[in-house]
Amino acid sequence: MAFIALGINHKTASVAVRERVAFTPEQLVEALQQLCLRTASREAAILSTCNRSELYLEQDDLTADAVLAWLADYHRLSLDELRACAYVHQDDAAVRHMMRVASGLDSMVLGEPQILGQMKSAYAVAREAGTLGPLLGRLFQATFSTAKTVRTDTAIGENPVSVAFAAVSLARQIFSDLHDSQALLIGAGETITLVARHLYEQGVKRIVVANRTLERASSLAEQFGAHAVLLSDIPQELVSSDIVISSTASQLPILGKGAVESALKRRKHKPIFMVDIAVPRDIEPQVGKLDDVYLYTVDDLHEVIAENLKSRQGAAQAAEELVSVGAEDFMLRLRELAAVDVLKAYRQQAERLRDEELAKAQRLLGKGASAEEVLAQLARGLTNKLLHAPSVQLKKLSADGRVDALAVAQELFALDEGVPSDKGL
């Protein structure tokens, strides 16, 4: 049994290299099968995200160089270029690395939850490709269990540490149930895309995307079943919007106090939660002075994020300890399984010798020999056969000066007398 975890990530490779080493979902099954064929790996799985590409393998005689050579060849990269930014973990270290990754301890954003789902996808694809066997399968299950314990028993993932997620988390604090809320998102860039995704995952059914160009708004809206409008439609949409989150590149405010006051009157002063992530601001500061408006700026969010990141870092130590326990427990159980195989073979051998001696005894009884004599012979014959192979091996070990092995035999057979030291040889 030998595990290898090999790959690159955001800490070791540039975006340009990570893009070239990434696997598309369509490539994964074929790549896994080729990997096992070309490197003689017994079992393999591939995790490929925007921040990392990692290969997980199980094979006794497998070398990291063979895997790196395959990876470089598959993506048409220079082996030296890949070797310069790749890392390799083996056996216990590989187990610990997988558990750290799944727990969010190796992520760009400490404790981010998406990586566990991505790890589960890697497991599912490996099963589909037929490259997941009993050992790697057990490792994945132990990894999922440890990551779940980390999430349950620590605060590593409780507090938001991204602007988009912090904005949505604040909305959840104000509206206990987001399902019945309408969200108006102003802008169509990366941050608003993340906000839309978080809102969608929280169950917000009505999302409106307002942008300077309808084409960009429509492109984003299609991803989440949202409605696209132009910036000029914002006053009308404000009336039915409970959540407003804005992030544009405009140099002038897009939403003024007058438009919000008008919307509040038509809403009969039903509260509006607003987050202005833009710099310069999209929403006039005076809007925050209105009753029934909860306005937060990007500075407010950064204060929340800084505090939450400090909290996550405090929880990281406890998470690391849980990962260590999980890795040690897995390796212990794996070694116990290896012992089970040896014990099974030894028991089968002992039962075969027993059956042979029992058959001899039954033949003697059939010929009229006394039961007392047959039992004595059965006991002698069985004892001699059970001791024969160990006796031969112990004499050979002694002749070779293997005092360490003799000490193990002493412990294995629970013998009281000591084993001679090498000083007496």
Side-chain angles (χ1 to χ4, degrees), residues 242-255:
D242 308 295
I243 300 166
V244 178
I245 301 177
S246 185
S247 178
T248 76
S250 174
Q251 296 301 304
L252 297 172
I254 289 173
L255 194 53

Side-chain angles (χ1 to χ4, degrees), residues 14 175 182 310 345 365:
S14 66
F175 301 97
Q182 174 169 304
K310 191 183 298 181
L365 287 173

Side-chain angles (χ1 to χ4, degrees), residues 83-143:
R83 187 180 282 120
C85 57
Y87 45 83
V88 179
H89 303 285
Q90 294 182 292
D91 298 328
D92 298 48
V95 172
R96 178 177 169 79
H97 176 75
M98 283 182 65
M99 291 182 176
R100 291 189 76 251
V101 169
S103 300
L105 290 169
D106 196 52
S107 296
M108 182 179 289
V109 177
L110 181 64
E112 61 96 0
Q114 289 85 3
I115 188 64
L116 180 56
Q118 292 164 337
M119 186 76 87
K120 289 181 176 179
S121 294
Y123 168 81
V125 173
R127 285 188 63 182
E128 179 188 347
T131 62
L132 193 74
L135 291 177
L136 201 55
R138 285 192 185 100
L139 175 52
F140 267 104
Q141 293 303 325
T143 295

